[in-house]
Amino acid sequence: MALRLDVRKVSVELQHKKIVQNVSLQLEPGRIASILGPSGCGKTTLLRALAGFQPISSGEIFVHKKLFSKTGFKLAPEKRHIGMMFQDLALFPHLTVEQNIRFGLKALSNNEKRTRTQQVLELTELNNQGKKYPHQLSGGQQQRVALARALAPQPEILLLDEPFSSLDPDLREQVATEVRKILKHENVTAILVTHDQHEAFAMADEIGVMIDGQIAQWDSAYNIYHKPKTRFVADFVGLGSMLPATIIDASTLDTEFGQVQGSLSPSFSAGEEVDLLVRPDDIPHDDSSPMTAIVEEKRFRGAEFLYKLRLQSGNHVLCYAPSHHNHPLGEPIGISLDLEHLVVFSKN
């Protein structure tokens, strides 16, 4: 397996405190990854270590089999051929779009600079914006200028530090999707740092969920959502509820919805009390169902409602329902349980 990035048991200390702890990850050429986690979890510190801005206290970082960092050694950032797209975009306001892009092309001849600048302008759909200044562009266009400037030197890896955080929430996912398309066209290996799961889902081939300086799970977006390995990942990514359940056997749970079947970890034993993760999409609204729950809260989301429902036991679940199923608070509605995966955690 050819690797563009190989991070081996990396830790980073700041003021004698471990901010990144024993992180390992591998990224193949042309793959896009996301480090997803709450503020203060260490994700930006890890990105700075990859860029060479921050020394590591232990472990090793290799890019294309070349050693970039280890204890006591740090290859200078300007020698790493790693591109950065910053949270504040860091565009020069006194330079035009073309001048911003050419800023990182100092090693090229003037003809080569013009050719490469035109290439990335076309790639990022900024063909007619080259003579404008950043303040004359929309937020989405400024994002593309920053991306064009980062891509112009054709870096080995592109690092993106929460570059969409200044955009409106509705625009973030759209821009993230556009950026992914551009990176895939150029076959660029990239890592996005974000606290927004929708950005991560829109951009990344694989996602590392980070907490307290450690990667809790490195997986596909599908598995991060549907097959979380820890309670933190289950809570941080997506909405959900924990329902009490009892282990019947290696493939059966007893719940207040009745018995449900699926694959269970062998670490659980018959009779054990556990918590079952239930996502809103696991609870179909079904008017014909004999099981009902009371509508306690509702959020209108255009095409659908998100209902918070109280079960007869007093436990709560979340349910998505088409918005033409507009039920008032306090009304009982029919529901069922439709689980594709059994995600079970031991009781705390």
Side-chain angles (χ1 to χ4, degrees):
M1 179 178 65
L3 291 177
R4 179 69 68 195
L5 175 65
D6 188 5
V7 177
R8 303 177 184 176
K9 297 183 178 180
V10 163
S11 296
V12 180
E13 289 187 13
L14 296 175
Q15 298 179 336
H16 307 292
K17 180 181 178 182
K18 275 195 175 180
I19 306 300
V20 175
Q21 302 185 55
N22 203 35
V23 166
S24 295
L25 62 93
Q26 295 178 329
L27 202 58
E28 298 173 48
R31 299 283 286 175
I32 301 172
S34 176
I35 308 296
L36 173 66
S39 297
C41 73
K43 56 187 186 295
T44 295
T45 300
L46 176 59
L47 206 72
R48 288 176 55 81
L50 296 178
F53 301 145
Q54 181 68 46
I56 64 177
S57 53
S58 62
E60 297 171 316
I61 299 173
F62 291 86
V63 174
H64 214 45
K65 298 183 179 180
K66 181 178 180 180
L67 179 64
F68 273 32
S69 293
K70 68 175 183 179
T71 308
F73 170 76
K74 178 172 70 69
L75 187 68
E78 63 271 17
K79 295 182 179 180
R80 295 190 174 213
H81 208 51
I82 288 179
M84 286 287 293
M85 188 171 170
F86 296 96
Q87 185 172 359
D88 62 1
L89 303 184
L91 297 177
F92 298 109
H94 63 289
L95 299 182
T96 66
V97 169
E98 288 181 352
Q99 290 168 336
N100 266 281
I101 293 171
R102 287 179 189 168
F103 185 80
L105 299 177
K106 295 175 182 177
L108 302 184
S109 68
N110 287 333
N111 282 339
E112 289 172 329
K113 288 179 183 179
R114 279 192 292 270
T115 299
R116 183 57 182 160
T117 299
Q118 189 56 41
Q119 285 174 345
V120 292
L121 283 172
E122 291 175 1
L123 178 67
T124 53
E125 298 181 356
L126 293 166
N127 310 50
N128 301 319
Q129 311 297 329
K131 303 301 182 185
K132 292 183 179 179
Y133 291 88
H135 72 271
Q136 297 175 301
L137 304 176
S138 68
Q141 288 173 324
Q142 290 179 15
Q143 299 283 332
R144 294 204 291 274
V145 175
L147 177 62
R149 186 181 63 185
L151 289 177
Q154 298 178 298
E156 290 269 3
I157 298 174
L158 179 63
L159 304 178
L160 304 99
D161 186 11
E162 303 204 47
F164 314 123
S165 59
S166 63
L167 299 177
D168 294 335
D170 291 342
L171 188 57
R172 287 180 196 168
E173 191 172 351
Q174 175 189 334
V175 174
T177 302
E178 292 173 359
V179 170
R180 173 183 169 82
K181 184 178 178 182
I182 292 167
L183 295 179
K184 285 297 182 181
H185 182 274
E186 291 287 278
N187 196 35
V188 174
T189 308
I191 297 181
L192 166 74
V193 157
T194 182
H195 62 272
D196 187 313
Q197 60 186 283
H198 299 295
E199 287 178 19
F201 289 171
M203 273 275 293
D205 300 307
E206 45 205 293
I207 295 172
V209 181
M210 197 168 190
I211 180 66
D212 295 333
Q214 298 177 306
I215 300 291
Q217 184 170 348
W218 185 275
D219 220 324
S220 66
Y222 181 90
N223 286 342
I224 291 287
Y225 180 83
H226 286 291
K227 300 177 182 179
K229 292 181 178 179
T230 69
R231 282 181 182 267
F232 170 76
V233 175
D235 290 339
F236 187 74
V237 179
L239 299 170
S241 309
M242 294 290 179
L243 285 184
T246 304
I247 303 290
I248 301 299
D249 56 39
S251 61
T252 311
L253 279 178
D254 187 34
T255 75
E256 59 189 286
F257 285 87
Q259 291 192 355
V260 293
Q261 301 264 321
S263 176
L264 289 168
S265 167
S267 62
F268 297 109
S269 55
E272 186 175 351
E273 300 294 321
V274 296
D275 287 328
L276 172 67
L277 174 64
V278 179
R279 299 288 196 191
D281 37 306
D282 297 326
I283 307 286
H285 175 28
D286 182 359
D287 287 323
S288 64
S289 173
M291 184 166 192
T292 61
I294 304 297
V295 176
E296 283 205 344
E297 296 177 13
K298 58 191 292 189
R299 301 180 205 169
F300 182 64
R301 296 193 166 179
E304 61 193 7
F305 278 106
L306 174 64
Y307 287 112
K308 181 180 179 182
L309 306 174
R310 186 180 75 250
L311 303 176
Q312 293 179 4
S313 64
N315 293 315
H316 291 89
V317 293
L318 300 173
C319 167
Y320 287 129
S323 59
H324 58 269
H325 288 271
N326 186 8
H327 296 281
L329 299 180
E331 180 174 292
I333 65 172
I335 57 171
S336 58
L337 184 64
D338 183 16
L339 286 170
E340 290 287 328
H341 313 284
L342 295 187
V343 179
V344 174
F345 300 102
S346 297
K347 291 282 189 181
N348 286 331

